[in-house]
Amino acid sequence: QHISKLSIAQFMHEVMLKTLKDQHEHAALFEFVEECFDYLNEANEGYHNLHLHFLFELSKHLGFEPQNNRNDSSLFFDVREGRFTETAMVWPFGLDQAQSALFSETLRCNFFTTRFSREEKHLVLDVFLNYFAFHIPGFGILKSPEVLKEVFND
């Protein structure tokens, strides 16, 4: 339990270093970050998807929340636009139909109660990180996701 919490905390820290450079007076954002770390510190269970919740909620605070407008005609998630469109695009610009369906479900889920398979969790993490890289200049590639993937290799 200790190593899994530590790896999530390290991941959130690394994401914050890449994203919160110019966020001077954003009380709601800092309250959110504090709540996430408090939750992680106190939780004995239900925290295994906290890093996914963190990324989704952080995207809202930073103003580029992915829109869950998936329907019968807009089946493909466009990473650049942050919404579902009629046109399929290759990775890293978009997701195929199956990946888009999973991502749409993820955007509606309760991260604290949803159980993802290992593959689903890795895919959702990769999609969020790719999404952040498209929307935050200099975000780049993080080191901590590989540690998370190893720790949560269940």
Side-chain angles (χ1 to χ4, degrees), residues 75-85 87-100 103 123 126-127 130-131 134:
L75 296 172
F76 305 98
F77 187 72
D78 182 328
V79 173
R80 296 170 305 165
E81 296 293 321
R83 61 187 178 86
F84 292 84
T85 65
T87 308
M89 290 197 233
V90 296
W91 181 263
F93 303 104
L95 306 178
D96 68 25
Q97 192 168 344
Q99 293 167 335
S100 293
F103 194 58
L123 174 68
D126 288 343
V127 170
N130 183 44
Y131 186 67
F134 264 95

Side-chain angles (χ1 to χ4, degrees), residues 95-132:
L95 306 178
D96 68 25
Q97 192 168 344
Q99 293 167 335
S100 293
L102 173 63
F103 194 58
S104 176
E105 291 172 26
T106 301
L107 296 176
R108 284 192 306 268
C109 84
N110 178 331
F111 289 98
F112 300 101
T113 59
T114 299
R115 304 289 276 163
F116 292 103
S117 71
R118 178 185 56 205
E119 293 79 15
E120 290 170 337
K121 188 182 276 191
H122 292 186
L123 174 68
V124 170
L125 177 59
D126 288 343
V127 170
F128 272 125
L129 292 174
N130 183 44
Y131 186 67
F132 270 67

Side-chain angles (χ1 to χ4, degrees), residues 8-20 29-37 40 47 49-62 64 111-112 125 128-129 132 139 142 148:
I8 290 173
Q10 179 62 35
F11 172 79
M12 293 188 322
H13 178 257
E14 188 177 13
V15 169
M16 288 186 313
L17 288 174
K18 297 280 191 166
T19 59
L20 303 183
L29 172 61
F30 290 107
E31 184 176 312
F32 159 70
V33 169
E34 183 177 35
E35 286 172 1
C36 284
F37 277 102
L40 182 60
Y47 62 87
N49 293 332
L50 180 63
H51 57 297
L52 301 176
H53 166 78
F54 180 77
L55 290 172
F56 179 55
E57 294 297 323
L58 185 60
S59 73
K60 293 179 185 179
H61 285 283
L62 297 177
F64 59 93
F111 289 98
F112 300 101
L125 177 59
F128 272 125
L129 292 174
F132 270 67
F139 187 78
L142 306 182
L148 272 177

Side-chain angles (χ1 to χ4, degrees), residues 1 5 35-45 47:
Q1 182 178 1
K5 284 186 170 187
E35 286 172 1
C36 284
F37 277 102
D38 287 346
Y39 178 83
L40 182 60
N41 190 41
E42 296 168 13
N44 291 320
E45 57 185 39
Y47 62 87

